[in-house]
Amino acid sequence: IQAAWNLKTRALTEMVYVDEIDMDQEGIADIILDENAIAQVARPGTSLKLPGTSQGGGPSPAVRPVTQSGRPITGFVRPSTQSGRPSTMEQAIRTPRTALTARPITSASGGYVRPGTASMLTNPDGPFINLSRLNLTKYAQKPKLAKALFEYIFHHENDVKNALDLAALATEHAQFKDWWWKVQIGKCYYRLGLYREAEKQFKSALKQQDMVDTILYLAKVYLRLDQPVTALNLFKQGLERFPGEVTLICGIARIYEEMNNISSAAEYYKDVLKQDNTHVEAIACIGSNHFYSDQPEIALRFYRRLLQMGVYNCQLFNNLGLCCFYAQQYDMTLSSFERALFLAENEEETADVWYNLGHVAVGIGDLNLAYQCFKLTLVNNNDYAEAYNNLAVLEMRKGHTEQARALLQTASSLAPHMYEPHFNVAILSEKVGDLQRSYTAAQKSEEAFPGHVDTQQLIKQLKEHFAML
Amino acid sequence: MPEGTGALREVLPKQGTGGEHRPALAAQPAARSRPFSPFTGQLSMEDTAAMVLCKPKILPLKSVSLEKLEKLQRAAQDAAQPPEAAPPPSAGAAPPRQ
């Protein structure tokens, strides 16, 4: 009967198991009230909070869209990439937090309630294991059962405290010689936000038994403590002991990407591909880098590879369509986009595809089609700032200044981190003679993207004008 | 994705005259007095900034973990919604577990 119980427990856990290494949903409260930062003002290139200057080169915001945290769009999204590091409370609330909806999670514990309802899903008549009546000490003494039970409590029930109790008892029982329990305790501490304790546990587990997983967990702790350089060193040391380990190399590449060092990230992703040339994340990231570096044909090759591997979703076909168009392979373009539309699972994806179709339409000169595409984007997703901006540009071409201005207003309020709406407002205002507004808008554009030559020229012109008065 | 840094508007005179006499490049190309320049005949150059479009978006691919998470969240949402007449889903709506 014990075996059956064991099996059922593990089966239930497996249903909702998400690799802890990836799981990293940070709640707003955790970010804003983060006391783990070591230095008040970090030196550039040492903190994940400040994207810093793009020291690693890579395409500028003039060519590559930028997310809310100021970082360029990446080729691959994981549970943890969702969390940018917003500087103000308002921005924090606006950033989409959950994987699906745009509603923010208020704190980490709140976020995990959702997955915790898994127990409700699997057992409508009540939980399989009643935690409050469990005698943890008894289970701690039976290591095999204890391990299955721990995983169940941790992943299925999301009850970190009980899990921690169990783990602590089990470790004691194993006389602190079992590295597995140390890692589990470390995971519990991580969930509870006790990062330094988690670090200790992982380090001691590493001393006992060198495992790649432990290295990954420890690196996660360092990243949460905003110590990317420590994490990088850890990975590099790990690579000495586990040469060629794909997860470690991938970890390094991700950190470089987070720090906006695109060229190093690309280098490491290439290393990943040398070791494992089916690694989806690396292929996707390198592909997007090539696309934005003006090499759509090479990007096309990468995305074609993904297709060969059997990846079959809306995003891939959208990217294929874009690359085909810009690589001048017009036969594939529209059918790829059609497939993308067919595969879109929700309205946000549909909006993205229509937006890119709008770009294709602009490229072929069919401005009516472009207009319709951008309008369709907005139908599917009312908050699509880029579509508003592009619609404004089209309206300007038709001469509808007031409408353009209204659209730009919406765009800039929806996405203050983008420089395009601000720049366009500046141009618009300058055309009609409203120089003051033009100047303020140009300032905002410069803030968002200091390297934009046209903005600088415009500001210079306006300054000369004002000096003359 | 090629994008120049600014739109260049050249003002070219009509029919290449505008008061300037272009040398006839006729019989002997070797005897050309001055090298060809695309700016020959140009009167003035205006560097007007044009409005910029936002860039096409390469959509990031989702990782397996993310897809599983989304699936779970969706299932939880669906499970939570139908039993509206029934007592509220106790596990889901309960205060966050301590």
Side-chain angles (χ1 to χ4, degrees), chain B residues 49-73:
Chain B
M51 298 181 96
V52 292
L53 284 173
C54 285
K55 312 300 170 283
K57 239 195 210 178
I58 284 277
L59 298 180
L61 271 64
K62 295 195 212 158
S63 74
V64 174
S65 317
L66 189 58
E67 290 194 347
K68 192 161 185 189
L69 255 181
E70 285 188 2
K71 211 172 66 169
L72 285 175
Q73 277 181 337

Short mmCIF file of all heavy atoms in Angstrom, two decimals, chain B residues 49-73:
data_model
loop_
_atom_site.label_atom_id
_atom_site.label_comp_id
_atom_site.label_asym_id
_atom_site.label_seq_id
_atom_site.Cartn_x
_atom_site.Cartn_y
_atom_site.Cartn_z
N ALA B 49 13.44 65.90 -40.95
CA ALA B 49 13.16 64.67 -40.23
C ALA B 49 11.73 64.24 -40.53
O ALA B 49 10.82 65.06 -40.57
CB ALA B 49 13.36 64.89 -38.75
N ALA B 50 11.57 62.97 -40.74
CA ALA B 50 10.22 62.44 -40.97
C ALA B 50 9.79 61.66 -39.74
O ALA B 50 10.60 61.29 -38.91
CB ALA B 50 10.23 61.53 -42.19
N MET B 51 8.50 61.41 -39.66
CA MET B 51 8.01 60.66 -38.50
C MET B 51 8.52 59.23 -38.58
O MET B 51 8.68 58.67 -39.67
CB MET B 51 6.49 60.67 -38.49
CG MET B 51 5.94 62.08 -38.37
SD MET B 51 4.16 62.05 -38.32
CE MET B 51 3.86 62.10 -36.58
N VAL B 52 8.75 58.65 -37.42
CA VAL B 52 9.28 57.29 -37.39
C VAL B 52 8.19 56.30 -37.03
O VAL B 52 7.32 56.58 -36.21
CB VAL B 52 10.42 57.13 -36.37
CG1 VAL B 52 11.63 57.89 -36.80
CG2 VAL B 52 9.99 57.55 -35.01
N LEU B 53 8.26 55.16 -37.68
CA LEU B 53 7.36 54.08 -37.34
C LEU B 53 7.99 53.25 -36.25
O LEU B 53 9.20 53.12 -36.18
CB LEU B 53 7.16 53.17 -38.56
CG LEU B 53 6.27 53.62 -39.68
CD1 LEU B 53 6.38 52.64 -40.82
CD2 LEU B 53 4.84 53.69 -39.20
N CYS B 54 7.13 52.64 -35.41
CA CYS B 54 7.67 51.68 -34.46
C CYS B 54 8.10 50.44 -35.24
O CYS B 54 7.55 50.16 -36.30
CB CYS B 54 6.61 51.27 -33.45
SG CYS B 54 6.31 52.55 -32.23
N LYS B 55 9.03 49.68 -34.69
CA LYS B 55 9.66 48.62 -35.47
C LYS B 55 8.83 47.34 -35.47
O LYS B 55 8.07 47.09 -34.54
CB LYS B 55 11.04 48.30 -34.88
CG LYS B 55 11.84 49.54 -34.63
CD LYS B 55 12.05 50.32 -35.92
CE LYS B 55 12.63 51.69 -35.69
NZ LYS B 55 11.70 52.71 -35.22
N PRO B 56 9.01 46.49 -36.48
CA PRO B 56 8.32 45.19 -36.46
C PRO B 56 8.81 44.37 -35.29
O PRO B 56 9.96 44.46 -34.88
CB PRO B 56 8.74 44.55 -37.79
CG PRO B 56 9.94 45.28 -38.23
CD PRO B 56 9.83 46.65 -37.69
N LYS B 57 7.90 43.59 -34.75
CA LYS B 57 8.20 42.88 -33.51
C LYS B 57 8.48 41.42 -33.79
O LYS B 57 7.60 40.71 -34.28
CB LYS B 57 6.97 42.95 -32.61
CG LYS B 57 7.20 43.60 -31.30
CD LYS B 57 6.06 43.29 -30.39
CE LYS B 57 5.88 44.42 -29.43
NZ LYS B 57 4.78 44.24 -28.55
N ILE B 58 9.66 40.98 -33.43
CA ILE B 58 9.92 39.54 -33.44
C ILE B 58 9.35 39.01 -32.14
O ILE B 58 9.71 39.48 -31.06
CB ILE B 58 11.44 39.27 -33.51
CG1 ILE B 58 11.94 39.53 -34.92
CG2 ILE B 58 11.75 37.87 -33.11
CD1 ILE B 58 11.75 38.39 -35.87
N LEU B 59 8.46 38.02 -32.24
CA LEU B 59 7.82 37.54 -31.02
C LEU B 59 8.72 36.53 -30.33
O LEU B 59 9.21 35.61 -30.96
CB LEU B 59 6.48 36.88 -31.37
CG LEU B 59 5.47 37.80 -32.01
CD1 LEU B 59 4.20 37.04 -32.30
CD2 LEU B 59 5.16 38.97 -31.09
N PRO B 60 8.93 36.70 -29.02
CA PRO B 60 9.75 35.74 -28.31
C PRO B 60 9.03 34.40 -28.19
O PRO B 60 7.82 34.36 -27.96
CB PRO B 60 9.96 36.38 -26.94
CG PRO B 60 8.92 37.39 -26.81
CD PRO B 60 8.47 37.79 -28.16
N LEU B 61 9.80 33.30 -28.35
CA LEU B 61 9.21 31.99 -28.19
C LEU B 61 9.08 31.67 -26.72
O LEU B 61 9.86 32.14 -25.90
CB LEU B 61 10.10 30.93 -28.87
CG LEU B 61 9.82 30.67 -30.33
CD1 LEU B 61 10.08 31.88 -31.16
CD2 LEU B 61 10.66 29.52 -30.81
N LYS B 62 8.10 30.85 -26.39
CA LYS B 62 7.89 30.57 -24.97
C LYS B 62 8.57 29.28 -24.58
O LYS B 62 8.60 28.32 -25.32
CB LYS B 62 6.39 30.43 -24.72
CG LYS B 62 5.65 31.69 -24.96
CD LYS B 62 4.26 31.61 -24.36
CE LYS B 62 3.32 32.43 -25.21
NZ LYS B 62 1.95 32.04 -25.06
N SER B 63 9.07 29.27 -23.36
CA SER B 63 9.73 28.06 -22.91
C SER B 63 8.69 27.04 -22.48
O SER B 63 7.53 27.36 -22.26
CB SER B 63 10.64 28.37 -21.73
OG SER B 63 9.86 28.59 -20.58
N VAL B 64 9.12 25.79 -22.35
CA VAL B 64 8.21 24.71 -21.98
C VAL B 64 7.59 24.99 -20.61
O VAL B 64 6.40 24.80 -20.39
CB VAL B 64 8.98 23.38 -21.95
CG1 VAL B 64 8.10 22.28 -21.43
CG2 VAL B 64 9.46 23.04 -23.34
N SER B 65 8.44 25.49 -19.68
CA SER B 65 7.92 25.79 -18.34
C SER B 65 6.83 26.84 -18.41
O SER B 65 5.80 26.74 -17.75
CB SER B 65 9.02 26.30 -17.43
OG SER B 65 10.17 25.54 -17.60
N LEU B 66 7.07 27.85 -19.24
CA LEU B 66 6.11 28.93 -19.32
C LEU B 66 4.79 28.42 -19.87
O LEU B 66 3.72 28.78 -19.38
CB LEU B 66 6.65 30.05 -20.21
CG LEU B 66 5.85 31.33 -20.20
CD1 LEU B 66 5.74 31.86 -18.80
CD2 LEU B 66 6.47 32.37 -21.10
N GLU B 67 4.89 27.56 -20.89
CA GLU B 67 3.65 27.05 -21.46
C GLU B 67 2.89 26.21 -20.45
O GLU B 67 1.67 26.30 -20.34
CB GLU B 67 3.96 26.21 -22.70
CG GLU B 67 4.45 27.06 -23.85
CD GLU B 67 4.45 26.32 -25.16
OE1 GLU B 67 4.32 25.08 -25.14
OE2 GLU B 67 4.59 26.98 -26.19
N LYS B 68 3.63 25.42 -19.67
CA LYS B 68 2.96 24.58 -18.68
C LYS B 68 2.30 25.45 -17.62
O LYS B 68 1.17 25.21 -17.20
CB LYS B 68 3.98 23.64 -18.03
CG LYS B 68 3.33 22.57 -17.22
CD LYS B 68 4.27 21.41 -16.96
CE LYS B 68 3.51 20.31 -16.25
NZ LYS B 68 4.37 19.25 -15.78
N LEU B 69 3.03 26.49 -17.21
CA LEU B 69 2.47 27.43 -16.23
C LEU B 69 1.18 28.03 -16.74
O LEU B 69 0.19 28.12 -16.03
CB LEU B 69 3.47 28.57 -15.99
CG LEU B 69 4.26 28.58 -14.70
CD1 LEU B 69 5.14 29.80 -14.69
CD2 LEU B 69 3.35 28.61 -13.51
N GLU B 70 1.22 28.47 -17.99
CA GLU B 70 0.03 29.11 -18.55
C GLU B 70 -1.12 28.12 -18.59
O GLU B 70 -2.27 28.46 -18.29
CB GLU B 70 0.33 29.61 -19.96
CG GLU B 70 1.16 30.86 -19.99
CD GLU B 70 1.28 31.43 -21.39
OE1 GLU B 70 0.69 30.85 -22.32
OE2 GLU B 70 1.96 32.43 -21.54
N LYS B 71 -0.80 26.88 -18.97
CA LYS B 71 -1.86 25.89 -19.05
C LYS B 71 -2.48 25.67 -17.68
O LYS B 71 -3.70 25.63 -17.53
CB LYS B 71 -1.26 24.57 -19.57
CG LYS B 71 -2.23 23.74 -20.37
CD LYS B 71 -1.55 22.56 -21.01
CE LYS B 71 -1.06 21.60 -19.95
NZ LYS B 71 -0.63 20.32 -20.47
N LEU B 72 -1.61 25.57 -16.67
CA LEU B 72 -2.12 25.37 -15.31
C LEU B 72 -2.99 26.53 -14.87
O LEU B 72 -4.06 26.37 -14.29
CB LEU B 72 -0.95 25.24 -14.33
CG LEU B 72 -0.20 23.92 -14.36
CD1 LEU B 72 0.97 24.00 -13.42
CD2 LEU B 72 -1.11 22.79 -13.93
N GLN B 73 -2.51 27.75 -15.16
CA GLN B 73 -3.27 28.92 -14.73
C GLN B 73 -4.62 28.95 -15.40
O GLN B 73 -5.64 29.26 -14.79
CB GLN B 73 -2.50 30.19 -15.06
CG GLN B 73 -1.48 30.53 -14.01
CD GLN B 73 -0.74 31.81 -14.34
OE1 GLN B 73 -0.67 32.21 -15.49
NE2 GLN B 73 -0.18 32.43 -13.33
#
